[in-house]
Amino acid sequence: MRLPTWRFLTGLTALVLLAACGGGGGSDVPAYSDAKITLQAQFEKRPLTPGGFGATILRPARYCWAEVRDAGSSALLASGYLGSDGTGTAFVPRGAQVFVRVYAQYQVPSADPNSFFLRGSVKNAPLPGTTDLATFSAIPVWSVTSSAFLANQDGTLAVTALAGNRIAGAFNIADQAVAFGAAVRDMDGSASLRLPNLHTFWTTSTNPADQARTYPALAPAPGNTYLVTDSNRAVFSHGVYGLGSGAANTETDEWDDGVLQESFARLLFADHSYKADGSSSLSLLRRDNDNVWVDRTEQSESTAAFVAGFSDFLAGAVRNDGRLLDSYVDAGGVAQVYTFDLGSHAAVPLATKGEFTRGSIAVSLWGLWKNALGGTQPGLQTLWAAVRSATPYADGTGEYEQATLGCYPTYLQGVASRVSTTTWNAILTELALEAVPNPNATYFAGTALWQTSALPLSAAGTLQTYAPSADLYYDRNQSQAWRFTHGGGARTITMTPTGGQDFYLELIGPGGWVMGSFSNPGSTRTLSPSNLPAGVYVARVRAGATTATGTYGYTISVN
């Protein structure tokens, strides 16, 4: 016999229920006088295409938090996370007047039923500054609430979050975060890997000051500390655009799945993400420069280009869709969609293709996965394993985590070590389409990636300084790496600007960034490690805190 169905279309989203009175268990035997409610939570999704929005479809509110409450007293009767299909069950006193509230708050499960892989939420507020955990937790999460109904018999309740009032957008952000977490979990395959908590701040406020698109960063707490939850997970937060007025030069992110995924991917490269509790200052994936946006079609500093390109690749791979779409309203008030297609070798101009270009890195990785590795999950796991690899090489280059520099050519060595000769030849074909050279011994002995010198080193160089008006940030000609072999012990590295401008000095080697000098703009900078382990290192000079536009010189010595 078919159960009666309660259906409510509200401006909200999904539903979740766990076992009665406890949330999550299911081991308690319900009383005969209880009514069994089966919840189906879903949201209206507006699929974005290069030509604009397509027809609205329904998607389940996967793994979202749901509560069943008494309509009169608001007493909590049942709560818990929904399943992968957006459903859950709860038992409530038969004849009770109840309502359901579903939150854009999610939990991606792990293989261990007593743990979880990733938790997070979509909060209805601007990105906050320093705050304590209680205040942070009290910031409202987007939610949907059903009408009150009489639970006089067993039945099914379907609740749909509507796109018209934008609440569905919050659930799409949450759903994309779920997809991201599940993909990282499955790519890694480790029983121990966990991610810190991730909270997205998305507000429809019409105040431009409330709108920001930022990469995930550790949420600061008073006393120069950071937020950690009761479950011992560090709290990361970031903002996405939500100003949907349609006015010129505005944009919203809730349906831009590629944009959201690229932002989520930057969590993996964020400081303190190495351990889920934030206790290590390292990032989960090595990052040898700032966690910054660089242009997709211009050549950038090698390590910044790789982080950005790999994040773009993940943004496509998580969704199995190579189109990275960004909707916006242009200066003339016309709705537009920016498209970067990972499957197109026309996405990056021929003149700027190569191993230092974010777009070429992303496009070639997509080709590696789809063509050379068959577009399979094992192929994706191979590409992930290469970015986690810590295999040292005798020549000092090493695979990504043990390389002298964490960049695309050193990453590719980890790919090469994991595939057959036939597959590697197919990979070289894909790389050539984006003008990425074979990362062999000849390449690393050359000057494209760095200058190699015996010690003591005494040299001079020139760099392009920052030029905001020309969109020059982290460009390839704004940094130079000097490679040397260190036998162990003390070392002194000195860099002096010769044109009156400021340059930064950094030491990088196997395992990542070692130290740097950034204060006292324009001055001579010196790094003096007293007990530096033996290995192959680079001293990197890059443009610093200057407003001048032009080419300026410096001298460098390593003794």
Side-chain angles (χ1 to χ4, degrees):
M1 178 178 177
R2 186 174 180 179
L3 295 175
T5 300
W6 298 291
R7 297 191 182 276
F8 294 90
L9 291 180
T10 68
L12 322 175
T13 314
L15 293 174
V16 16
L17 296 94
L18 297 183
C21 302
S27 59
D28 293 339
V29 178
Y32 177 75
S33 58
D34 286 343
K36 178 183 177 181
I37 301 174
T38 300
L39 298 169
Q40 172 66 66
Q42 55 195 10
F43 65 94
E44 293 183 335
K45 182 177 178 66
R46 301 182 66 201
L48 183 63
T49 74
F53 287 103
T56 298
I57 59 177
L58 292 178
R59 294 294 303 273
R62 299 183 290 172
Y63 300 125
C64 283
W65 180 260
E67 297 176 349
V68 181
R69 292 184 177 271
D70 182 89
S73 65
S74 293
L76 183 64
L77 303 178
S79 64
Y81 288 101
L82 295 174
S84 60
D85 58 356
T87 65
T89 58
F91 296 92
V92 301
R94 192 178 300 272
Q97 285 276 352
V98 300
F99 67 89
V100 173
R101 181 170 292 147
V102 182
Y103 294 85
Q105 176 177 318
Y106 53 86
Q107 174 177 282
V108 179
S110 68
D112 180 357
N114 297 314
S115 182
F116 59 91
F117 186 77
L118 170 68
R119 276 181 182 168
S121 70
V122 183
K123 289 182 174 288
N124 185 1
L127 189 67
T130 300
T131 183
D132 57 60
L133 185 60
T135 302
F136 187 94
S137 300
I139 298 173
V141 174
W142 284 88
S143 65
V144 53
T145 305
S146 75
S147 302
F149 60 92
L150 180 64
N152 59 348
Q153 57 185 321
D154 295 350
T156 300
L157 175 64
V159 177
T160 303
L162 304 182
N165 58 13
R166 302 192 66 188
I167 295 176
F171 285 90
N172 186 65
I173 296 171
D175 192 61
Q176 290 301 310
V178 166
F180 162 75
V184 173
R185 177 198 63 197
D186 296 344
M187 283 189 299
D188 192 81
S190 167
S192 59
L193 179 64
R194 300 288 185 272
L195 296 184
N197 287 7
L198 177 61
H199 296 275
T200 302
F201 284 79
W202 177 68
T203 173
T204 59
S205 167
T206 57
N207 182 357
D210 292 339
Q211 299 295 334
R213 180 191 290 168
T214 63
Y215 290 142
L218 200 63
N224 198 31
T225 60
Y226 58 90
L227 298 180
V228 181
T229 67
D230 294 340
S231 56
N232 203 32
R233 299 291 178 99
V235 175
F236 281 71
S237 58
H238 73 116
V240 297
Y241 287 135
L243 178 53
S245 65
N249 298 314
T250 61
E251 57 183 305
T252 60
D253 288 340
E254 66 264 35
W255 305 114
D256 299 354
D257 294 349
V259 170
L260 294 171
Q261 290 296 344
E262 191 265 343
S263 293
F264 298 149
R266 294 302 185 110
L267 171 67
L268 307 174
F269 293 99
D271 292 341
H272 291 269
S273 63
Y274 184 75
K275 292 185 176 180
D277 63 2
S279 59
S280 169
S281 63
L282 299 176
S283 54
L284 178 65
L285 302 183
R286 178 178 177 176
R287 194 194 82 237
D288 290 347
N289 206 322
D290 301 324
N291 197 8
V292 294
W293 171 276
V294 295
D295 196 286
R296 287 189 171 111
T297 60
E298 294 181 9
Q299 294 196 348
S300 303
E301 189 277 325
S302 64
T303 63
F306 176 73
V307 167
F310 193 78
S311 296
D312 277 346
F313 166 69
L314 286 181
V318 166
R319 302 172 299 118
N320 197 23
D321 185 344
R323 300 171 303 169
L324 306 183
L325 308 179
D326 187 0
S327 60
Y328 67 99
V329 181
D330 67 17
V334 179
Q336 304 282 3
V337 179
Y338 163 80
T339 302
F340 188 85
D341 189 353
L342 300 181
S344 171
H345 292 292
V348 179
L350 180 61
T352 59
K353 289 180 183 293
E355 72 272 34
F356 303 110
T357 305
R358 170 185 181 171
S360 286
I361 293 170
V363 169
S364 59
L365 281 170
W366 188 261
L368 264 62
W369 180 39
K370 287 295 184 179
N371 301 325
L373 298 174
T376 63
Q377 180 66 15
L380 191 57
Q381 290 170 327
T382 296
L383 297 178
W384 173 262
V387 82
R388 298 274 279 161
S389 177
T391 302
Y393 285 5
D395 63 2
T397 55
E399 296 183 10
Y400 187 71
E401 288 287 354
Q402 276 297 310
T404 304
L405 272 178
C407 57
Y408 198 31
T410 56
Y411 163 82
L412 287 169
Q413 292 189 121
V415 177
S417 70
R418 288 169 167 80
V419 300
S420 67
T421 300
T422 299
T423 300
W424 179 244
N425 287 333
I427 286 174
L428 291 177
T429 299
E430 291 294 329
L431 293 175
L433 294 173
E434 287 298 314
V436 176
N438 185 343
N440 54 20
T442 300
Y443 176 83
F444 289 115
T447 59
L449 185 59
W450 44 41
Q451 299 286 337
T452 302
S453 176
L455 296 180
L457 181 156
S458 180
T462 59
L463 295 179
Q464 166 72 49
T465 56
Y466 288 126
S469 61
D471 192 29
L472 294 179
Y473 292 95
Y474 300 91
D475 281 14
R476 186 184 179 193
N477 61 0
Q478 293 179 294
S479 69
Q480 177 65 63
W482 299 86
R483 184 171 80 142
F484 61 92
T485 300
H486 171 67
R491 189 63 63 189
T492 299
I493 306 167
T494 303
M495 184 277 301
T496 301
T498 57
Q501 300 306 313
D502 184 45
F503 296 130
Y504 297 147
L505 177 63
E506 299 164 295
L507 178 62
I508 305 168
W513 191 89
V514 179
M515 60 175 59
S517 175
F518 308 100
S519 59
N520 300 319
S523 64
T524 294
R525 300 187 183 278
T526 301
L527 302 178
S528 302
S530 60
N531 191 24
L532 187 66
V536 181
Y537 293 83
V538 295
R540 184 173 65 190
V541 182
R542 59 185 177 102
T546 178
T547 58
T549 300
T551 302
Y552 296 88
Y554 66 91
T555 60
I556 184 170
S557 65
V558 182
N559 296 295

